[in-house]
Amino acid sequence: MSRSRPSRRLASDPVSESSSSSSPERTNYEDTDFFALQQNDSQSSIGVSTFREMMVSPASERERHVSPVSRLPPELLIAVFSKLSSTSDLKTCMLVCKAWAKNSVDLLWHRPLCNSWKNLLSVVHSIRKPDAYFAYYDLVKRLNLSTFGEDVSDGTIVPLAGCKRVERLTLTNCTKLTDSGVMALVQGNANLLALDISGLEAITDLTLLAVADNCRRLQGLNVTGCKQITDRSLIATSQSCRSIKRLKLNDCSQVTDEAVVAFAENCRQMLEIDLHNCGLVGDVSVTALLLQGSQLRELRLAQCSLIHDDAFQALPDKRRLESLRILDLTACENLTDKAVERIIGSAPRLRNLVLAKCKKITDRAVLAITRLGKNLHYVHLGHCAHITDAAVTELVKTCNRIRYIDLACCHRLTDASISQLATLPKLRRIGLVKCQAITDRSILALAQARMGPNRAHVATSSLERVHLSYCVHLTLQGIHALLTHCPRLTHLSLTGVHAFLREELTDFCREAPPEFTEHQRDVFCVFSGPGVVALREHFNRKAYLHDIEGFSMYADGEVEADGEGDDGLQEQGTPTVTEAEQQVAGLMGATGIHGSDDMDEEFGEDTSGVD
């Protein structure tokens, strides 16, 4: 028997279809890089050894005509297609060829666009089409009908009941939906990871029992405002869906400690839980969540009036909540300084702490909060009327990364503490509503917080939102300085401040909410977005006219500070930002902000150790 002679070929030539090698042939997309496909000069100069090597098979000929992009592996094609933000572009890609269609259809149908009735009807038509090339109902992973709100009914979502691989279902404020409609989407769907039915007041325990039976992989559940849901279905859900990490039970008025404790014991991976206005939840629930939730990051207990100090005092001394970052205790009126001290001792890495309307806390609690140091970014102490300047000053010294602080209705605070707050290098928002003891001195301190010694401009102020409503001692001078030196300012509330209740200024205000009474409308004065810009330009024009014409830019009866002259002003047009800053600097000098070297040191720019 004659033995076949092995053919000789270059390593870069395609493998013959008749090869009997046990190793698989390389597919089109497994070719090596560009240089490996090219013959070098020395090879091209050598004659072909056999005539067979000059032959080109039909398969090889086809490979030579395939574009390089068609040789990309599926994962690379999908990565490229995922960069397309337009659904029309993805649809165009689907029409190129079958390979592109297979690799782009998932991206197009992963989250179908349901922002209008036209789009929704198109989605339903494609899903129900009997001869569709793809099984579109199996491709839908995210379904969001919240855009339609109350226009959605049970009949609307019946055609979508065939989508049994939905992972995220959002039906927020679809108030006409009932148990039958939501259950049609839930039953038979073992892939559901997140369910949001907030605002659906007609939903009862039947829906959550269906979730417990079918959706054991559930990780996120939002039933805010579902007031007919009781402990019965919630306990069943906690026992079946043990992977829940995010739970929102806001305004679920029938929820009690029994349901919350069940989630604490069964869902040990809980990251966030929101119990806002769950009036029947008490100390037992809080203690269970903090004992069992080693990974808990966010705990919101606003308006849970049954919570006392015992909820936190019951924690073991060595219990550490290293993951806890956000704690909201708004209107938990029974809490005292002891609870705050225990919280800080157990959760040393808290970033956001809300104690608004905890009316029993005093300076002692604030001094405990100072132990958070640079971890603290957000603190709300509104309506904590016992807080004084001394505690706020200590807070500023140790927590210099605060970005947001609200001290509304802390009527004991004066210019002394607000001037200290002005030195916070990252401060973006400050709330001082009804802090009626403060004057322009506080506002000018906020305005010059980024000014170094000798009035040298060091850095741009980071202030974005300032709330000064009912601070009745404020005048135009202080606010002019604030507008001039805070270019990032986008919100300024001055409701009830008499100096601003004049037509030439209220023209720049936004409209009062329609539910306001006539008196509330009369004193409403809030500047936001373009209104802040217009107010700043108005003040700068008035200041410019004052300098060139010699009349007062402020109303009769208001003290006008001496300016610094008009030598540097342009002859025409409004002043530049730099010129406006120079004009306002005179106001600061008139109030004594730069009255001594000690004051300059007090507002120093040392930000070492701050990100």
Side-chain angles (χ1 to χ4, degrees):
M1 178 184 297
S2 60
R3 183 164 50 187
S4 60
R5 180 181 178 183
S7 61
R8 292 177 297 170
R9 58 183 178 83
L10 297 173
S12 59
D13 288 344
V15 179
S16 171
E17 291 183 347
S18 61
S19 174
S20 60
S21 172
S22 59
S23 61
E25 292 185 6
R26 287 183 300 174
T27 56
N28 292 337
Y29 57 81
E30 289 178 333
D31 284 331
T32 53
D33 60 20
F34 174 81
F35 296 98
L37 296 175
Q38 310 299 318
Q39 293 182 344
N40 60 38
D41 292 339
S42 60
Q43 288 177 322
S44 62
S45 63
I46 299 176
V48 179
S49 59
T50 64
F51 180 76
R52 181 179 179 182
E53 293 186 358
M54 299 178 60
M55 301 293 292
V56 179
S57 66
S60 300
E61 183 66 22
R62 285 195 299 271
E63 287 185 7
R64 292 176 184 273
H65 287 83
V66 173
S67 62
V69 70
S70 298
R71 300 185 183 187
L72 290 175
E75 57 268 24
L76 289 184
L77 280 176
I78 293 173
V80 172
F81 295 149
S82 66
K83 303 298 182 182
L84 300 176
S85 57
S86 170
T87 55
S88 60
D89 290 341
L90 283 171
K91 183 178 179 181
T92 302
C93 290
M94 284 186 63
L95 300 176
V96 172
C97 62
K98 289 183 179 180
W100 280 35
K102 291 178 181 178
N103 292 312
S104 59
V105 66
D106 281 342
L107 295 170
L108 186 61
W109 279 86
H110 176 79
R111 182 172 54 189
L113 191 61
C114 298
N115 59 352
S116 67
W117 283 108
K118 179 181 178 181
N119 289 340
L120 181 59
L121 292 175
S122 176
V123 169
V124 170
H125 174 73
S126 299
I127 288 176
R128 303 183 70 179
K129 194 173 182 181
D131 57 343
Y133 186 78
F134 296 104
Y136 295 113
Y137 48 82
D138 282 339
L139 300 177
V140 178
K141 300 297 174 60
R142 297 186 181 184
L143 188 58
N144 188 341
L145 301 180
S146 59
T147 302
F148 304 103
E150 61 182 11
D151 295 330
V152 175
S153 64
D154 292 342
T156 306
I157 62 178
V158 167
L160 301 172
C163 301
K164 298 303 183 184
R165 294 190 177 183
V166 174
E167 296 176 354
R168 299 180 184 272
L169 178 59
T170 305
L171 302 171
T172 306
N173 293 325
C174 297
T175 53
K176 291 184 179 179
L177 289 179
T178 65
D179 288 325
S180 59
V182 180
M183 289 171 63
L185 295 175
V186 168
Q187 289 175 337
N189 186 352
N191 297 288
L192 192 64
L193 299 177
L195 174 63
D196 187 345
I197 52 175
S198 55
L200 277 62
E201 296 186 0
I203 296 299
T204 69
D205 286 338
L206 292 177
T207 294
L208 283 193
L209 291 173
V211 170
D213 290 338
N214 294 272
C215 311
R216 296 180 180 272
R217 297 176 57 197
L218 194 69
Q219 297 181 13
L221 177 63
N222 187 350
V223 292
T224 296
C226 299
K227 298 182 180 180
Q228 298 189 52
I229 290 177
T230 68
D231 287 353
R232 176 187 167 219
S233 60
L234 290 172
I235 292 173
T237 303
S238 70
Q239 293 171 343
S240 298
C241 309
R242 294 175 178 262
S243 298
I244 288 182
K245 298 180 180 179
R246 293 173 174 84
L247 178 65
K248 292 183 180 294
L249 302 176
N250 303 335
D251 298 311
C252 293
S253 54
Q254 299 190 55
V255 175
T256 70
D257 288 332
E258 188 177 358
V260 178
V261 171
F263 277 106
E265 294 178 347
N266 295 313
C267 304
R268 299 297 183 89
Q269 302 178 49
M270 187 74 71
L271 299 176
E272 305 171 13
I273 184 166
D274 197 334
L275 301 171
H276 174 84
N277 202 28
C278 292
L280 301 179
V281 172
D283 296 343
V284 176
S285 295
V286 178
T287 304
L289 288 169
L290 296 178
L291 280 175
Q292 306 294 341
S294 59
Q295 301 181 40
L296 193 63
R297 296 179 185 173
E298 302 180 16
L299 177 59
R300 293 181 170 87
L301 302 167
Q303 298 183 12
C304 294
S305 56
L306 296 182
I307 296 176
H308 302 77
D309 290 351
D310 291 342
F312 304 97
Q313 295 283 66
L315 295 174
D317 291 338
K318 295 183 178 181
R319 179 58 176 163
R320 289 293 178 268
L321 302 167
E322 297 291 344
S323 298
L324 191 61
R325 296 292 184 273
I326 298 176
L327 179 61
D328 185 352
L329 298 170
T330 300
C332 295
E333 297 182 349
N334 294 313
L335 296 181
T336 69
D337 296 335
K338 292 181 179 179
V340 177
E341 289 174 336
R342 189 68 190 89
I343 291 166
I344 302 304
S346 297
R349 303 183 68 184
L350 270 176
R351 182 169 296 174
N352 292 17
L353 180 59
V354 182
L355 296 171
K357 298 183 181 179
C358 295
K359 298 180 180 180
K360 293 183 179 181
I361 71 171
T362 68
D363 284 358
R364 179 179 166 187
V366 179
L367 293 176
I369 294 172
T370 61
R371 290 155 55 190
L372 294 174
K374 295 179 180 179
N375 292 319
L376 186 64
H377 289 179
Y378 179 114
V379 59
H380 198 320
L381 299 170
H383 297 268
C384 298
H386 298 296
I387 295 175
T388 68
D389 288 336
V392 174
T393 300
E394 288 300 316
L395 185 67
V396 172
K397 289 179 180 178
T398 56
C399 303
N400 64 352
R401 293 188 182 181
I402 292 176
R403 290 159 170 76
Y404 176 105
I405 186 167
D406 197 315
L407 297 165
C409 300
C410 295
H411 60 84
R412 298 190 181 194
L413 300 183
T414 69
D415 293 335
S417 56
I418 309 306
S419 297
Q420 290 295 322
L421 287 170
T423 65
L424 291 170
K426 292 179 178 284
L427 188 63
R428 295 179 183 176
R429 302 182 181 185
I430 185 169
L432 299 170
V433 174
K434 293 188 178 179
C435 293
Q436 297 183 349
I438 69 173
T439 67
D440 279 355
R441 183 179 179 83
S442 294
I443 308 308
L444 294 175
L446 290 170
Q448 67 92 54
R450 293 300 177 272
M451 302 292 288
N454 303 320
R455 300 175 185 175
H457 189 72
V458 176
T460 302
S461 171
S462 56
L463 273 177
E464 297 173 0
R465 300 175 68 89
V466 180
H467 303 267
L468 299 169
S469 296
Y470 300 102
C471 295
V472 294
H473 296 299
L474 302 184
T475 67
L476 300 183
Q477 291 101 317
I479 301 303
H480 182 201
L482 190 71
L483 290 166
T484 301
H485 290 289
C486 301
R488 298 180 183 177
L489 197 66
T490 59
H491 181 94
L492 177 63
S493 65
L494 294 163
T495 296
V497 180
H498 178 73
F500 282 81
L501 300 181
R502 56 181 71 177
E503 187 175 353
E504 64 171 319
L505 301 180
T506 56
D507 286 345
F508 307 124
C509 293
R510 71 184 190 192
E511 292 293 328
E515 64 271 15
F516 273 22
T517 64
E518 183 177 354
H519 171 70
Q520 289 174 322
R521 289 176 177 274
D522 289 340
V523 298
F524 183 80
C525 185
V526 176
F527 304 91
S528 187
V532 175
V533 176
L535 182 64
R536 180 186 292 115
E537 292 175 348
H538 172 78
F539 275 134
N540 288 344
R541 283 196 301 270
K542 297 282 283 186
Y544 176 65
L545 291 174
H546 161 63
D547 282 343
I548 64 175
E549 297 181 9
F551 67 86
S552 174
M553 66 172 285
Y554 304 113
D556 294 339
E558 293 185 15
V559 179
E560 179 185 352
D562 294 333
E564 295 206 2
D566 56 353
D567 295 339
L569 294 179
Q570 300 173 1
E571 294 183 0
Q572 297 179 348
T574 58
T576 64
V577 173
T578 301
E579 293 163 348
E581 289 175 354
Q582 294 173 349
Q583 296 162 11
V584 174
L587 299 177
M588 293 181 177
T591 59
I593 286 294
H594 294 287
S596 67
D597 293 336
D598 292 338
M599 186 61 70
D600 289 338
E601 292 177 3
E602 185 179 0
F603 293 98
E605 293 296 322
D606 182 14
T607 58
S608 58
V610 179
D611 291 340

